[in-house]
Amino acid sequence: VAQPPPDVHPVPTARPAPDDRSGPAAGGAAGEVLAGHLAGLAAEFLRALRGREPGEDEAAGTAALRAAARRIAATAHTYEPLLDPGWAQQLRTELTWLGAVVGREHRHAARLARLTAALHRLAAGRDGTDGSALNQAVGAARAGALLERQLTLARTRAHSATLQALGSARFHAVADAVALLTSDVPLTAAAGRSAGRALPPLATQACRALTDAVGALPLTVAANPYNTHALHASLGEAAGPEAGQDGDPRDLPWHRVRRLVRTCRYALEVPGAAAPPDPDRPPRPDLSACPERLFDAGRVLERHREAAEAAEAAATAARTPRITPATAYALGVLHADQRAEVEAARYAFSTLWRPVAPAPAP
Amino acid sequence: VAQPPPDVHPVPTARPAPDDRSGPAAGGAAGEVLAGHLAGLAAEFLRALRGREPGEDEAAGTAALRAAARRIAATAHTYEPLLDPGWAQQLRTELTWLGAVVGREHRHAARLARLTAALHRLAAGRDGTDGSALNQAVGAARAGALLERQLTLARTRAHSATLQALGSARFHAVADAVALLTSDVPLTAAAGRSAGRALPPLATQACRALTDAVGALPLTVAANPYNTHALHASLGEAAGPEAGQDGDPRDLPWHRVRRLVRTCRYALEVPGAAAPPDPDRPPRPDLSACPERLFDAGRVLERHREAAEAAEAAATAARTPRITPATAYALGVLHADQRAEVEAARYAFSTLWRPVAPAPAP
């Protein structure tokens, strides 16, 4: 059989393949492009669901399920004006519920892995040759055992909750709604406009929400290494029964930016959603114009959240009754270590979120 | 009385005034310049000693005494080839002893002030409205009280030791030796050479020892913010009975550089000791050629040492029997906070110790 010459490319399909989000903008109607993108995401969702079946890598399947659910929900949010509003709202609510439930187990596991690694790093080189070092080594070991007990219990509970959710009528309704997306997306009249006109403004709006939220962050402080802000008041935070879920209130603007980074990134994944560069205007001076750095920023803020949650878990463990002072001391060191990681992630974000191009002189 | 016209300068004295270390190099013999400089330092030493008398600011007097003792010892070290060797060695030993004894009280006071400030920062904003926050607030307060008790006791002991030292025959012998310096410095034959030829090579040698010691520091790691190296193995360090004095062995190269920065700086204070810039050679690519940044580097390494000692004091306090877990937790957070300060000081040093000028291409 003759090989085709190397410069012959395959004929592009009218609808992008599910994994091909970087394809060129379709020339057709916005609704058609959006429906094609959502159909691809829905197929990923269903594939991930099958991936959770016995014999498959359950954790990987769950991660893929969460990712697909997040992408569909974010896309339905950004492009809501092109979609039947009641339907889009309902689907987002249900997918957000699903993502939260099935994500919990992973988060507990990640937290335990992070804290265990940090304890190893903090206790490295201990030799236990004298009483004091031995005492500290015992404290670190007990802190590790305590955290493992508490987070493994939380993880087991989260696992049961996932199984229960995936067996529920509520989940089957979501899965049915997603399955419908592969063939039928309820569009509005506005979806009849050309993709090139209708999609970029909506993506820009999603990314502008990100830019605004970043504008409210204390980036000048964060850009100054060792500012100690993330540890500030670490011994003074109101840490009520909800502490493990809400964490430090000063972390919330960063968590919000993390979600908006994702929304902006997912919005730009729709083919043709990125506005073409306008030669008459300078490039937007932020990351939303630069998908790769946006991905890095999202990773950094993921690390920010994980470290914040790990710090909170160490503080929670230190409130366990009847622990020894050596255990509590190790948990205090661990808490501060993870708050330093929070600060480090903010610093890293501040180095990423830099003007892509300087603003022109007026 | 007629005012002298503004461009008439006072006639320079042959010997620089005690406080005038920035004067031009004396054109005379090296021994003469060195003796003049040492006489000025000896006068400062004696003035500081009078400053410690009743009615004066005792702490300021002690600080001035330490500074003068350090300068004389460092100068006697750097310029030893110009001085009677047995005499210089003996004087240095005695002044080092004196500096260590009278410095201890100040160091305990500085440590307590640093730890108290850090605890305030860490516990800022606590409201104690719920049980957990209250527990943490109590822990922070108890940790503060424990540190205050331990460090105040240490300070009181150091104060007594200072008084005892200053009343001892050993001290009176040092003071007599220093008083002799104001009029008579035992010089060697080499001191007869011209100042411009004899002094700069000795100063350069002292500063080269600094450059070599800095070369052994892990500056590449330190220049990378949030490298977590200073906290590494913080729960694993052998912390024997000498821990409070020796601290973390990995801090020692930094402490050594701190002392060498001072020696280099003091060496350059001798009039004419800084080698004149050689137009045929590029400037030396480090701080030793730049006294102001040398001073900043010294300050940063002072902060490094204070933070390292404060972290050690928190760890020591955590080994007190029968403390509550909340107290131990607060001490753990405090320890890690101060080790982060150690890391911050290393980072700051790495930003200061940068090539003054790039090395020329070969």
Side-chain angles (χ1 to χ4, degrees):
Chain A
V1 180
Q3 292 283 331
D7 58 336
V8 169
H9 294 281
V11 177
T13 51
R15 185 175 270 195
D19 283 339
D20 179 16
R21 297 196 197 86
S22 58
E32 195 184 331
V33 174
L34 184 61
H37 185 69
L38 282 170
L41 297 178
E44 278 179 21
F45 182 97
L46 299 173
R47 200 161 43 236
L49 201 55
R50 281 194 302 273
R52 287 196 77 270
E53 283 169 7
E56 307 286 336
D57 180 347
E58 192 183 280
T62 307
L65 190 67
R66 271 191 302 132
R70 269 201 313 254
R71 276 200 165 82
I72 297 170
T75 306
H77 176 65
T78 300
Y79 298 99
E80 194 163 1
L82 309 181
L83 299 167
D84 177 273
W87 171 85
Q89 177 69 54
Q90 161 84 2
L91 185 67
R92 277 175 53 209
T93 306
E94 293 305 290
L95 287 171
T96 304
W97 160 76
L98 179 65
V101 171
V102 304
R104 218 164 280 155
E105 179 182 358
H106 167 73
R107 278 165 70 176
H108 287 302
R111 209 170 300 168
L112 180 57
R114 166 177 275 274
L115 287 165
T116 305
L119 268 177
H120 274 284
R121 174 164 50 76
L122 291 169
R126 68 179 176 223
D127 50 15
T129 47
D130 66 60
S132 298
L134 190 63
N135 193 37
Q136 288 206 342
V138 168
R142 283 194 179 164
L146 178 61
L147 287 165
E148 176 146 14
R149 207 156 57 237
Q150 294 188 340
L151 290 172
T152 302
L153 179 63
R155 186 188 172 177
T156 307
R157 282 189 184 142
H159 186 71
S160 304
T162 296
L163 293 183
Q164 204 175 349
L166 293 181
S168 69
R170 187 175 179 181
F171 171 72
H172 285 115
V174 190
D176 286 349
V178 171
L180 263 182
L181 275 183
T182 57
S183 58
D184 184 30
V185 174
L187 300 165
T188 56
R193 295 171 62 208
S194 86
R197 285 184 172 275
L199 298 178
L202 294 172
T204 299
Q205 196 177 329
C207 294
R208 191 164 294 146
L210 166 63
T211 306
D212 291 348
V214 172
L217 293 178
L219 281 192
T220 314
V221 170
N224 188 16
Y226 300 108
N227 56 68
T228 75
H229 264 241
L231 194 53
H232 189 85
S234 200
L235 287 173
E237 262 324 291
E242 296 302 305
Q245 273 162 44
D246 288 354
D248 190 325
R250 284 155 316 171
D251 296 342
L252 297 184
W254 297 87
H255 295 334
R256 185 171 136 74
V257 167
R258 179 180 53 77
R259 287 190 299 268
L260 290 172
V261 162
R262 221 156 52 187
T263 304
C264 168
R265 189 158 65 86
Y266 293 163
L268 295 172
E269 285 175 353
V270 176
D278 182 344
D280 294 340
R281 299 184 62 179
R284 281 227 303 290
D286 60 51
L287 273 190
S288 63
C290 185
E292 274 159 41
R293 281 167 69 194
L294 206 55
F295 181 78
D296 291 339
R299 288 274 289 255
V300 158
L301 292 174
E302 198 63 46
R303 182 152 67 88
H304 177 274
R305 190 192 62 168
E306 284 177 5
E309 289 179 348
E312 192 55 42
T316 302
R319 293 191 285 267
T320 309
R322 286 181 298 282
I323 58 172
T324 68
T327 308
Y329 177 80
L331 290 168
V333 171
L334 192 56
H335 172 80
D337 174 71
Q338 291 301 302
R339 289 305 298 176
E341 284 274 295
V342 166
E343 198 183 293
R346 292 182 187 175
Y347 170 76
F349 182 81
S350 80
T351 65
L352 284 172
W353 194 270
R354 283 206 176 131
V356 170
Chain B
V1 179
Q3 292 284 332
D7 59 337
V8 170
H9 294 279
V11 177
T13 52
R15 185 175 270 195
D19 283 339
D20 179 17
R21 296 197 198 85
S22 58
E32 195 184 331
V33 173
L34 185 60
H37 185 69
L38 281 169
L41 296 178
E44 279 179 21
F45 182 97
L46 299 172
R47 199 160 45 236
L49 201 54
R50 282 194 301 276
R52 287 196 77 270
E53 283 170 5
E56 306 285 337
D57 180 346
E58 193 184 279
T62 307
L65 190 69
R66 271 192 301 132
R70 269 202 311 254
R71 274 199 168 81
I72 297 169
T75 306
H77 175 65
T78 300
Y79 299 100
E80 194 163 0
L82 308 182
L83 299 166
D84 179 273
W87 171 87
Q89 178 69 53
Q90 161 85 3
L91 185 67
R92 277 174 54 209
T93 306
E94 293 305 290
L95 287 172
T96 303
W97 160 75
L98 180 65
V101 171
V102 304
R104 219 163 281 156
E105 180 182 358
H106 166 74
R107 278 165 71 176
H108 287 301
R111 209 169 302 168
L112 179 57
R114 165 177 275 273
L115 287 165
T116 305
L119 269 177
H120 273 284
R121 173 164 51 76
L122 292 169
R126 67 175 177 226
D127 51 15
T129 47
D130 65 60
S132 297
L134 190 63
N135 192 37
Q136 287 205 341
V138 168
R142 282 194 178 163
L146 177 62
L147 287 166
E148 176 147 12
R149 207 158 56 238
Q150 294 187 341
L151 290 173
T152 302
L153 179 64
R155 187 187 169 176
T156 306
R157 282 189 184 142
H159 186 72
S160 305
T162 296
L163 293 183
Q164 204 175 349
L166 293 181
S168 69
R170 185 175 181 183
F171 172 72
H172 286 115
V174 190
D176 286 347
V178 171
L180 263 182
L181 275 183
T182 58
S183 58
D184 184 30
V185 174
L187 300 165
T188 58
R193 294 171 62 209
S194 86
R197 284 183 172 277
L199 298 178
L202 294 172
T204 299
Q205 196 177 330
C207 294
R208 191 163 295 148
L210 166 62
T211 307
D212 291 348
V214 171
L217 293 178
L219 281 193
T220 313
V221 170
N224 188 17
Y226 302 107
N227 56 69
T228 76
H229 264 242
L231 193 54
H232 189 86
S234 198
L235 287 173
E237 261 325 291
E242 295 302 305
Q245 271 163 44
D246 288 352
D248 190 325
R250 284 155 315 170
D251 296 341
L252 298 182
W254 297 87
H255 296 333
R256 184 171 138 74
V257 167
R258 181 180 52 77
R259 288 188 299 269
L260 290 171
V261 162
R262 220 157 52 187
T263 304
C264 168
R265 189 157 65 85
Y266 293 161
L268 295 171
E269 284 175 355
V270 176
D278 182 343
D280 293 339
R281 296 184 64 179
R284 280 226 303 290
D286 60 50
L287 273 188
S288 64
C290 184
E292 275 157 40
R293 281 167 69 194
L294 206 55
F295 181 78
D296 292 341
R299 289 275 289 257
V300 159
L301 292 175
E302 197 64 46
R303 181 151 67 87
H304 177 272
R305 191 192 61 170
E306 286 176 4
E309 289 178 349
E312 193 54 42
T316 303
R319 294 190 284 267
T320 309
R322 285 180 301 281
I323 58 172
T324 68
T327 307
Y329 177 79
L331 289 168
V333 171
L334 191 56
H335 172 80
D337 174 71
Q338 291 301 304
R339 289 305 299 178
E341 286 274 295
V342 166
E343 197 183 293
R346 292 181 187 176
Y347 171 75
F349 182 82
S350 79
T351 65
L352 284 171
W353 194 271
R354 283 207 175 130
V356 169

